[in-house]
Amino acid sequence: MTAKIFPPRIAEFVAEHWPSDSHRRMFILGQVLTKLSAMFQLAHNEPVPDEATAAFILLLEGMESGNEAEYRSCDELAMKLYEQWLARREVH
């Protein structure tokens, strides 16, 4: 998991709080929001596209499942939604 790349203090913090459902969910939410922010890069005044909302739900469910195959499937679907949205935004 991503914990392998954490500095020791961060890895210790995550390991200490991981058993808590609420802490684990907040950590997962943070990861999903970070990924979506990097993908969609919306301006402050832009509305959130439906694809971003759907991708958020897919990634969240995939990560919360704890199942690698299910996460991979959800991630692939989320990326397809992103690519569709991006294709519509491209200026030709």
Side-chain angles (χ1 to χ4, degrees):
M1 182 181 154
T2 359
K4 293 178 183 178
I5 64 169
F6 290 152
R9 284 185 8 193
I10 302 297
E12 182 181 322
F13 174 84
V14 170
E16 180 181 328
H17 291 88
W18 196 254
S20 164
D21 288 341
S22 60
H23 283 94
R24 185 173 51 255
R25 187 164 179 95
M26 291 302 294
F27 180 76
I28 289 170
L29 284 168
Q31 286 185 306
V32 171
L33 287 172
T34 300
K35 182 171 184 165
L36 285 176
S37 295
M39 288 167 58
F40 285 89
Q41 297 185 14
L42 300 173
H44 180 68
N45 60 348
E46 285 184 89
V48 175
D50 292 339
E51 293 88 350
T53 302
F56 174 83
I57 293 167
L58 282 166
L59 292 172
L60 182 62
E61 288 184 3
M63 287 192 80
E64 286 186 329
S65 74
N67 180 302
E68 185 179 341
E70 187 171 342
Y71 175 75
R72 187 175 24 257
S73 173
C74 290
D75 186 62
E76 288 172 4
L77 290 170
M79 287 305 293
K80 286 179 184 176
L81 288 169
Y82 168 68
E83 290 165 358
Q84 290 170 0
W85 172 81
L86 190 60
R88 283 198 325 269
R89 286 180 58 103
E90 288 182 355
V91 178
H92 298 284

